Amino acid sequence: DQFDPTSPSIVLDSNGDGVYTPGVDTVYVPGSNDPVLAPDAAIKIFVLSTIPAGAVDLDRGFVDLVAAAITGTGAPGTAFTGAGANGVDAVVGTTGADGTDRGRFLVQSAVVSFTKTQSVADPFGGVKTVPGAIVTYTLVASVAGTGTLTNLAVGDPIPANTTYRAGTLTLQGTPLTDNLDADAGEFATSAVAVRLGSVAGGQTRTITFQVRIN
């Protein structure tokens, strides 16, 4: 692997849903809340670790988890007098009463970059930035890496001495309404805003809108 996970902690899946939920699932404290399992029963646990700051996209860090019976471990057939249910002897089975499994942390980073370009169409068929000219802005959000950015949003103020042209806001070529409603964009308080949602690495999102020079 490329890094060592640090500050590990073990958390018991208290509600059994298989999803780590802070404040619901219980941090394991050895000797305090050791799980007691009936025959053939199981419990899910989570291993939480800190990823070093220097880790980069696609780096892996292995973590080994060891489980051992509190009663004792040893070669198959090892007996612990009186340690079984109802005071009978506990006998180690074929597993040795312990086990190890390896998991890994995989870094999947995502970095967003923005580019903004403009084109101008003046009232005389040219490209001069004169009063009455229409400026079309194109904003491109590009995500690099193998991860996914969630709740990505773009906001852009309308330049001074210009007026936003109603109904010109688009996302991926699809028109958006100017009001705050069910679609992804709106125009409010002299700025456009577009919610892009989750964007995976390798994808881009393109926004356009127009203003008129005053």
Side-chain angles (χ1 to χ4, degrees), residues 14-100:
S14 301
N15 56 9
D17 65 355
V19 178
Y20 171 60
T21 307
V24 175
D25 296 319
T26 305
V27 175
Y28 170 59
V29 180
S32 175
N33 57 347
D34 299 315
V36 177
L37 302 179
D40 299 320
I43 185 172
K44 294 178 180 178
I45 65 172
F46 309 103
V47 178
L48 310 182
S49 296
T50 300
I51 307 302
V56 299
D57 195 33
L58 295 181
D59 275 359
R60 296 179 302 170
F62 294 139
V63 58
D64 291 337
L65 179 69
V66 178
I70 296 175
T71 306
T73 63
T78 301
F80 297 94
T81 304
N86 301 316
V88 302
D89 293 347
V91 180
V92 175
T94 58
T95 65
D98 59 6
T100 302

Side-chain angles (χ1 to χ4, degrees), residues 109-197:
S109 67
V111 179
V112 64
S113 61
F114 290 99
T115 60
K116 182 178 179 180
T117 58
Q118 65 187 42
S119 62
V120 180
D122 67 34
F124 314 106
V127 293
K128 294 183 178 180
T129 54
V130 297
I134 303 300
V135 183
T136 300
Y137 288 105
T138 301
L139 290 76
V140 179
S142 301
V143 178
T146 61
T148 298
L149 292 177
T150 59
N151 299 320
L152 185 61
V154 176
D156 197 40
I158 301 304
N161 302 314
T162 68
T163 301
Y164 171 71
R165 294 191 73 202
T168 61
L169 183 61
T170 72
L171 172 61
Q172 300 293 88
T174 300
L176 302 175
T177 62
D178 294 330
N179 298 322
L180 178 59
D181 50 28
D183 71 18
E186 67 256 7
F187 167 73
T189 62
S190 301
V192 296
V194 180
R195 296 171 297 279
L196 304 180

